[in-house]
Amino acid sequence: MISTTARGNNDGEYCRITGAIRAVRTDTPDIRFEVNLPSHWNGRALQMGGGGYNGEVQRGTGGVNYAAGRAPLAEGYATFGSDSGHVGNAARADFALSDEAVANFGFEHIKKTHDVALALIRLGYGRGPLKTYFVGGSTGGREGYTAIERFPGDYDGVIANAPAINFSGVRLNGLEIGRRIYRKSDGFLPPDKQKLVHARVLAECDALDGAKDGIVSNVEACRAREAQTIASLRCGPDVSASDTHQGNDASVPDIPLSSGTRWAAASAKSPGTAPQARCLSDAQIATMKSLRDGLSLPYPLAYGVMQYPGYNVFEGADLSGMLGLGASPLPSSPPTFAANGYLFTQGDAYFKYFVARDKMASGIDFDPSEPGRYRQRLIDLSSTVGAMNPDVSTFIARGGKLITLQGLADEVVSPNQTIAFYRTLVSRYGQATVDSFMRLYMVPGYQHGNGVFIPSWDALNALDAWVSQGAAPGALVAIDIAPATNGRSRPLCVYPAFPRYRGKGDVNVAASFECSTL
């Protein structure tokens, strides 16, 4: 029993239970878990998802990521989570040498942990929960969609943010990005060039929502300007490829004065092009376009999936951060996030351990479009570790509710994949049915846990009110917790709407914006 006065405890008095669910094979790690039973129980249970490749127990004592208010345990929720069936960290994929560990990671740990936790809840309180929820982001978001698709009878509501539902797609796309950068001539963009793209997009698109606030909110209008954005970034014919690799100061790029005006520095070597220190070569433009276009395969993965939609690199995604493209023009062995970028590094690990089952295998030499003897393996993995099954009819029929939030500037999980799956559901069930069980909030400026706008919002209470009282959420309010702009607010608009400035009022206050589709 953890007392209210225990050091570091902000959750009130609760009973902490830890344990392990034994693996079938002796060479497979157990599933370690934790269950927390508050003394003042609200009659609800909450399963908490992991991130990346998991490997660490989700203890359930902290808050929901980026959620406002107190931690769920402090609010009276019985909370629980696991390590998904192996010991490691979010970046380690070596557990995938075991088939059972892969199955646990993919979906089995969700059900096993749920069933053990609910048995302990019944033992502790003498009854089961009135409502059971799941909450997670990224891998945890995939787990949330997996819960809906595979175990719909177990959950009354799910919060699944930035869901990595097309897990194989994002990993194979990462390999393609690495091949573009390191196998194609001069495809690498140093960090200053990565920043340059973002700065140019802001100059072109920031004000399209009526407010120049460092956020690209009207993404579709920005997409319509993509060609001129690219043209303003492209180097002239008299700029050598080596010039574009110079480590120039990107902290003070000259911003165009308007959509029709090139870089303010007057040293451009040819009309209509950027100066050599502030432009991209054709190969670098091709890298950015490949990120924009995503991955297309000549064969279907599970559920007929043949593509991974690309990123909003010309609509506000910043690839210069910790989860971006990396800083090295050469591939490390093995690749690292800092040197070679998150997408390629995780893709390389996926190929080594999930696909080839050989730690010496080289992801950069693998072409996902011509997988050879690995084709069936890729198809099988996309079913085991993924949540692209659009059949959620059982979850709908039992009255389950789903809330998803994701950044339109996400550089890890493509926002366009999340939107595409949402549209698949609308096509399958109709808009009215989807509206009856799902809310999708796409947040301008928000990346994968970072960005120029990081929303803090009351997700769990919104879900519980919808499930318990039938109060379907509409536009909500998010408080920005990005360090540079902490405290400003914006509406969280139900997709496809975005926040548009009303033309008057404080641009740091949500009430000065309306949710618009125009």
Side-chain angles (χ1 to χ4, degrees):
M1 183 65 72
I2 309 299
S3 72
T4 56
T5 59
R7 185 175 181 180
N9 178 27
N10 297 312
D11 294 318
E13 184 179 78
Y14 66 95
C15 176
R16 178 187 177 215
I17 305 168
T18 62
I21 303 168
R22 296 299 183 195
V24 175
R25 293 177 55 90
T26 57
D27 60 350
T28 301
D30 297 333
I31 300 171
R32 299 177 301 151
F33 68 85
E34 180 168 325
V35 179
N36 304 293
L37 307 179
S39 296
H40 299 288
W41 187 36
N42 67 6
R44 289 157 173 74
L46 179 65
Q47 184 170 359
M48 305 183 85
Y53 285 119
N54 284 334
E56 299 175 347
V57 175
Q58 300 303 306
R59 296 187 54 206
T61 56
V64 176
N65 284 345
Y66 307 107
R70 298 193 302 168
L73 181 58
E75 294 287 350
Y77 284 85
T79 63
F80 58 97
S82 76
D83 64 358
S84 82
H86 63 275
V87 177
N89 60 48
R92 283 183 55 184
D94 52 343
F95 69 90
L97 296 174
S98 162
D99 284 336
E100 188 179 357
V102 170
N104 279 335
F105 171 71
F107 64 95
E108 290 188 358
H109 84 277
I110 300 169
K111 177 65 171 174
K112 293 174 182 177
T113 305
H114 169 276
D115 288 357
V116 168
L118 261 64
L120 291 170
I121 288 171
R122 294 188 188 98
L123 184 64
Y125 296 117
R127 63 182 177 90
L130 299 173
K131 305 293 181 185
T132 301
Y133 302 139
F134 189 101
V135 60
S138 194
T139 283
R142 170 185 62 80
E143 291 168 346
Y145 274 77
T146 298
I148 289 170
E149 295 166 18
R150 290 183 181 266
F151 315 114
D154 288 342
Y155 301 93
D156 300 286
V158 171
I159 299 169
N161 298 331
I165 51 177
N166 191 351
F167 192 83
S168 292
V170 70
R171 293 297 183 250
L172 296 177
N173 186 55
L175 286 179
E176 279 293 287
I177 296 305
R179 288 165 60 82
R180 165 64 64 181
I181 292 173
Y182 296 116
R183 289 176 65 93
K184 305 290 183 180
S185 175
D186 294 315
F188 170 71
L189 280 78
D192 61 338
K193 302 298 184 250
Q194 298 165 27
K195 292 179 183 294
L196 178 67
V197 175
H198 185 244
R200 179 66 190 95
V201 170
L202 281 180
E204 186 69 43
C205 300
D206 185 358
L208 293 177
D209 64 344
K212 195 165 185 180
D213 54 4
I215 303 172
V216 177
S217 292
N218 193 344
V219 167
E220 292 311 311
C222 186
R223 203 181 310 280
R225 299 187 176 209
E226 187 174 285
Q228 61 202 61
T229 299
I230 293 173
S232 71
L233 286 165
R234 192 183 300 276
C235 294
D238 52 350
V239 178
S240 69
S242 61
D243 288 332
T244 69
H245 283 234
Q246 295 174 5
N248 301 290
D249 182 8
S251 63
V252 286
D254 292 330
I255 302 299
L257 301 178
S258 69
S259 61
T261 305
R262 301 304 173 192
W263 298 100
S267 59
K269 292 189 176 182
S270 60
T273 60
Q276 67 175 25
R278 305 182 182 202
C279 61
L280 304 185
S281 68
D282 286 347
Q284 291 169 334
I285 293 287
T287 295
M288 299 306 293
K289 285 184 175 180
S290 68
L291 276 160
R292 175 203 65 187
D293 295 340
L295 174 73
S296 293
L297 296 173
Y299 57 91
L301 299 174
Y303 307 109
V305 173
M306 298 181 68
Q307 64 176 349
Y308 188 81
Y311 298 83
N312 293 331
V313 293
F314 297 116
E315 293 79 32
D318 184 358
L319 297 169
S320 66
M322 178 177 63
L323 301 178
L325 288 179
S328 174
L330 298 174
S332 304
S333 184
T336 67
F337 294 172
N340 309 121
Y342 181 90
L343 292 175
F344 173 55
T345 299
Q346 293 287 55
D348 180 76
Y350 180 75
F351 177 71
K352 280 181 168 67
Y353 296 106
F354 280 78
V355 181
R357 298 292 187 67
D358 178 2
K359 67 180 181 180
M360 302 305 295
S362 172
I364 204 169
D365 295 324
F366 176 67
D367 183 353
S369 294
E370 298 180 1
R373 62 191 176 97
Y374 295 122
R375 176 169 170 170
Q376 190 59 49
R377 177 68 180 162
L378 293 176
I379 295 170
D380 292 344
L381 282 169
S382 67
S383 176
T384 301
V385 190
M388 291 294 288
N389 183 359
D391 184 359
V392 294
S393 53
T394 301
F395 185 73
I396 296 172
R398 73 181 303 269
K401 307 300 180 187
L402 167 66
I403 295 177
T404 289
L405 175 145
Q406 181 167 358
L408 282 163
D410 198 317
E411 75 276 46
V412 173
V413 173
S414 172
N416 297 309
Q417 173 65 88
T418 301
I419 291 170
F421 191 76
Y422 170 82
R423 289 175 175 168
T424 297
L425 295 177
V426 171
S427 177
R428 185 183 182 101
Y429 297 106
Q431 189 67 60
T433 297
V434 172
D435 288 346
S436 74
F437 83 95
M438 181 179 182
R439 289 292 180 273
L440 176 60
Y441 298 95
M442 301 300 297
V443 185
Y446 184 36
Q447 299 203 198
H448 203 72
N450 58 323
V452 294
F453 186 93
I454 304 175
S456 175
W457 61 303
D458 197 356
L460 188 54
N461 280 337
L463 178 68
D464 186 51
W466 195 6
V467 171
S468 301
Q469 304 166 28
L476 304 174
V477 173
I479 306 299
D480 188 5
I481 58 174
T485 48
N486 190 288
R488 67 177 171 175
S489 60
R490 288 287 185 277
L492 289 179
C493 299
V494 178
Y495 179 81
F498 65 90
R500 178 182 285 281
Y501 183 54
R502 296 180 184 273
K504 59 181 179 180
D506 189 344
V507 295
N508 294 314
V509 177
S512 300
F513 291 77
E514 61 184 352
C515 290
S516 172
T517 57
L518 301 177

